[in-house]
Amino acid sequence: MSKVLMGPLETTLKSRIRAELEEAETSLGLGINIAIAALILISAGLFVAETYPLSAGVSAGLTILDWLILILFLVEYGVRLWAAERPLRYIVSPYAIVDLVAILPMLVGVFDLRSLRLIRWLRILKLARFLEEERWLGREGLIIARIIFTLFAIVFIYSGAIYQVEHPVDPETFRTLLDAVYFAVVTMTTVGYGDVTPVSEAGRTLTVMMILTGIALIPSQVGSLIQNINRMQTVNMISCQNCGLSGHAADAVYCRRCGKQLPVVKEETKC
């Protein structure tokens, strides 16, 4: 009898956990995902800090903190795998692969790919609809925030990668992550000053990938950013008198949340 009951109970529990992690429709789910996002940012900050000269005590403290975050990520991965409707399908999903690539090399001490964890923010961005619903950013502001973060994530990930492959062979040129960021921005925008150049085969391969990414992706993202900024300038900032939502389209007549008619603003006549 207990085994019969455990099946449905376990299935219900898995469904609940999966919904909290993926959809975050409740306060608990939202809090969990915000905590995960914060840990990703802290991990990225630790990665940047450790590229600079630090005292032995500070370096040891940052290492302990990073291992604690790593353990939490491992626990999260295990929970997601256990709660997945199709575990095998989850393992080969892009986000799960990113999780493993960012975690496993550090566990075995082969390579530090913590910069890849920032890709996981693309999963967190699904929660951005909450910001829109709560009227924190508005639809246009939300789109702009996503574009800016996408550009930032691309630069950061490439910077982390080029630093990891070039710093061991050319520590004078790629001293800190800031040097790598400078190289990545100059390369991806195809400015190409030539004052910083990679010397390893892996570094040159990454440079080619940066250039191709810059040609294919950066112009479209920047163009979309400018287009949405211009669109924001024409947004009607009238607030709905029923629910208080603002940020409607310039020609909007009804509220896009509650459907009530928006107040009509009379244009002032110039004397």
Side-chain angles (χ1 to χ4, degrees):
M1 183 67 179
S2 59
K3 292 183 179 180
V4 175
L5 291 176
M6 281 300 294
L9 287 176
E10 184 178 2
T11 302
T12 303
L13 180 60
K14 287 184 177 181
S15 301
R16 175 67 183 276
I17 293 176
R18 187 164 59 247
E20 296 289 2
L21 290 174
E22 298 296 335
E23 302 298 331
E25 297 291 346
T26 65
S27 299
L28 175 61
L30 182 65
I32 291 174
N33 280 274
I34 289 177
I36 293 172
L39 289 176
I40 293 172
L41 284 183
I42 293 173
S43 177
L46 293 175
F47 176 76
V48 174
E50 290 173 0
T51 65
Y52 289 86
L54 300 171
S55 64
V58 173
S59 180
L62 294 182
T63 300
I64 293 173
L65 179 58
D66 196 56
W67 275 99
L68 290 175
I69 294 175
L70 181 66
I71 292 172
L72 291 176
F73 283 152
L74 281 172
V75 172
E76 182 215 355
Y77 180 86
V79 171
R80 287 183 182 273
L81 179 61
W82 175 77
E85 190 173 3
R86 298 179 181 178
L88 292 178
R89 185 174 180 179
Y90 171 76
I91 290 175
V92 297
S93 65
Y95 287 125
I97 293 174
V98 167
D99 288 346
L100 284 179
V101 170
I103 293 173
L104 289 182
M106 189 175 176
L107 283 178
V108 298
V110 177
F111 211 59
D112 190 347
L113 296 175
R114 282 175 292 173
S115 60
L116 286 177
R117 292 179 191 169
L118 207 64
I119 297 178
R120 303 184 68 219
W121 258 84
L122 300 178
R123 173 195 287 159
I124 305 298
L125 284 178
K126 293 192 302 181
L127 304 180
R129 66 181 183 277
F130 174 80
L131 301 179
E132 181 180 2
E133 289 299 319
E134 293 297 322
R135 310 183 297 279
W136 291 359
L137 292 177
R139 183 166 57 90
E140 286 77 15
L142 197 57
I143 295 174
I144 291 175
R146 284 172 173 168
I147 295 173
I148 291 175
F149 177 78
T150 300
L151 293 172
F152 171 76
I154 292 171
V155 171
F156 185 87
I157 291 168
Y158 269 127
S159 300
I162 196 71
Y163 175 82
Q164 287 295 319
V165 299
E166 285 296 314
H167 177 72
V169 297
D170 191 7
E172 292 299 322
T173 302
F174 292 89
R175 294 170 297 176
T176 66
L177 189 72
L178 182 59
D179 296 325
V181 170
Y182 167 78
F183 173 76
V185 172
V186 169
T187 301
M188 295 181 70
T189 55
T190 65
V191 175
Y193 292 125
D195 54 337
V196 178
T197 56
V199 297
S200 67
E201 292 296 327
R204 292 173 180 173
T205 302
L206 278 172
T207 302
V208 172
M209 294 173 62
M210 287 183 192
I211 295 173
L212 294 177
T213 302
I215 294 173
L217 187 62
I218 301 299
S220 63
Q221 291 292 316
V222 173
S224 180
L225 176 63
I226 295 174
Q227 181 181 3
N228 281 281
I229 291 176
N230 292 333
R231 188 180 301 166
M232 279 193 71
Q233 296 176 352
T234 63
V235 165
N236 180 6
M237 298 306 294
I238 298 175
S239 297
C240 175
Q241 295 180 345
N242 182 58
C243 68
L245 182 67
S246 61
H248 297 88
D251 58 349
V253 178
Y254 299 97
C255 175
R256 57 190 172 88
R257 171 186 285 175
C258 66
K260 295 292 184 180
Q261 186 171 0
L262 296 173
V264 178
V265 177
K266 296 181 180 179
E267 296 182 358
E268 296 181 359
T269 56
K270 297 182 180 181
C271 298

